[in-house]
Amino acid sequence: MMKALPRTKIRDQAAERIKEHIVARKLLPGDRLPTETELAETFGISRLSVREATKALEFLGIVRAKTGVGLTVGQIELPRVAEHLGFHPALHCADPQQLIDSRVIIETGVLSHVTRRMADDDSIRKKLQKLVDQFRSARDLKTWIELDIEFHRTLLESSGLTPLVAFGDLLRIFFQRFRESVKKAEWKVGIDSHQCIVDHLAAGDVAQAAAELRTHIESHRERIR
Amino acid sequence: MMKALPRTKIRDQAAERIKEHIVARKLLPGDRLPTETELAETFGISRLSVREATKALEFLGIVRAKTGVGLTVGQIELPRVAEHLGFHPALHCADPQQLIDSRVIIETGVLSHVTRRMADDDSIRKKLQKLVDQFRSARDLKTWIELDIEFHRTLLESSGLTPLVAFGDLLRIFFQRFRESVKKAEWKVGIDSHQCIVDHLAAGDVAQAAAELRTHIESHRERIR
DNA sequence: AGCGATCAGATTGTCAGATAATCTAACGAG
DNA sequence: CTCGTTAGATTATCTGACAATCTGATCGCT
């Protein structure tokens, strides 16, 4: 199996060896890996150092650990990785205008997928409509924010494109503080926009829905300049 | 500072708290974090459990540790992430068709930004053209792949929207294996597509450039079904 | 005064030994 | 046959400790 270790940080070497083991054996998600104790013996290191390595790999989904059972090969899910993209300088230091532009591109870009799926599944329209109705009867900023977020997320989800849902979630985190500065009158406009977007989508009119959505998202532009 | 912990895996909670701390304090790369011992005291857990959390974060670059000094904030570096994720594409859990759709949306979505900037800065066109020329004179798969990646990345970069560049880099990691199965004749078609895209962009024709780019990216669709 | 060497203190890296928590399979009772 | 219990296996977390590395302060020499 694997041979004992040379240099650098012991846990990093262990992590590399585990990866090598997975590749060499052509292991797939769900396949069993040696136990922590076995790995510790094989590498000639402490079990806790093995754990440091496996927790690192586990963070990315490469390895799965189950108490009482053992270690298995995991799988790498894009949304989980995307989640941490928030610590990438491009997001962390992003210009607010870029956040707006990025949201516009993503959200208008998925609309053709939304309308196509909406044509087959009316529950999509119903779900969005329900959010608009809830928004209309909401009375405080906190709820408006939650419902606005929910609406836009549901829109992305309705496309079925999980990578973009993940990315939208990420942008949302950085966008949060801008929502908090929206005035009461502007939230009312926002409700009408959401309704308008749902109506255009229901009619299969991607271009009009996109135009409305763009205007809606860009309404933040002046306020956050 | 941070308060003591409730539930689930203790190390995972610790990792989340550390991330929250970084975000709440608006910490930047290089900024000091509490020491392992301090974190252990604050969270009311063992120092080794703190280490399991920090090693996980360190694997992605979010945290840096230096013997004798302490912990600092790091940042996500996608080449490092790519290395970790790319070692065994069989572990990737991302629907290929969704990757294609997402790429189409992102890359066509930035084109109006590219043409606008290209009108003011001819070096953008020159840079893209140079990549096409290099592509045309390349003779092996590895170089074709590199240049294709470089072209698409440059396209995103040319928009000036750094969040989308980072996200495009992430998508690329999951897309890598599909590039490797492209046949020689298809790479030649790819070269002409790149040229066509550059020409349309130079002419300020976003719609045509978008159509060509969509066709180019979607050329993968049948092969990776 | 400036430079280099040494040392003390701080912090991470790794370990040994141990108990707690969770899962699975086997066995026994109804 | 089904359900409950138990034993064994393995991960989750802990205490206590020493090793390795870094940084800043101090001292000695030129």
Side-chain angles (χ1 to χ4, degrees), chain A residues 9-11 45-49 66-69:
Chain A
K9 295 282 160 62
I10 280 184
R11 67 177 174 267
I45 63 176
S46 136
R47 190 179 134 238
L48 290 196
S49 294
K66 200 167 185 182
T67 308
V69 180

Side-chain angles (χ1 to χ4, degrees), chain B residues 57-70:
Chain B
L57 294 173
E58 202 171 340
F59 206 62
L60 276 181
I62 297 175
V63 166
R64 297 265 172 87
K66 198 167 186 182
T67 307
V69 182

Side-chain angles (χ1 to χ4, degrees), chain A residues 23-166:
Chain A
V23 172
R25 300 237 177 167
K26 298 183 166 66
L27 299 182
L28 296 175
D31 289 346
R32 287 297 308 267
L33 289 167
T35 64
E36 291 176 355
T37 306
E38 285 169 347
L39 291 173
E41 282 167 5
T42 300
F43 297 158
I45 63 176
S46 136
R47 190 179 134 238
L48 290 196
S49 294
V50 168
R51 286 183 61 80
E52 288 188 7
T54 57
K55 291 323 131 192
L57 293 173
E58 202 172 341
F59 203 65
L60 277 179
I62 295 173
V63 165
R64 295 262 171 91
K66 200 167 185 182
T67 308
V69 180
L71 302 174
T72 54
V73 178
Q75 56 187 9
I76 301 163
E77 295 170 354
L78 194 150
R80 177 153 179 80
V81 183
E83 182 185 326
H84 295 108
L85 210 53
F87 288 92
H88 190 288
L91 268 291
H92 212 63
C93 309
D95 180 295
Q97 305 303 323
Q98 289 187 25
L99 291 176
I100 292 176
D101 288 330
S102 299
R103 278 193 64 201
V104 167
I105 287 168
I106 301 287
E107 292 186 34
T108 60
V110 300
L111 293 185
S112 61
H113 293 260
V114 175
T115 54
R116 197 183 62 244
R117 296 172 94 228
M118 203 186 258
D120 295 333
D121 180 7
D122 195 48
S123 73
I124 295 176
R125 182 194 58 82
K126 282 180 181 168
K127 195 169 176 185
L128 289 167
Q129 185 59 53
K130 183 175 178 184
L131 287 170
V132 174
D133 295 338
Q134 287 173 334
F135 203 153
R136 217 180 279 280
S137 55
R139 288 289 174 274
D140 64 285
L141 181 62
K142 181 168 176 292
T143 308
W144 279 328
I145 291 177
E146 284 171 359
L147 287 167
D148 188 54
I149 289 169
E150 186 73 30
F151 181 82
H152 286 273
R153 192 177 200 276
T154 301
L155 202 52
L156 285 173
E157 277 183 332
S158 303
S159 72
L161 301 179
T162 55
L164 294 180
V165 176

Side-chain angles (χ1 to χ4, degrees), chain A residues 3-20:
Chain A
K3 57 184 183 250
L5 299 166
R7 224 177 323 173
T8 74
K9 295 282 160 62
I10 280 184
R11 67 177 174 267
D12 292 334
Q13 294 174 51
E16 284 307 307
R17 287 300 171 87
I18 292 166
K19 282 163 64 183
E20 284 166 13

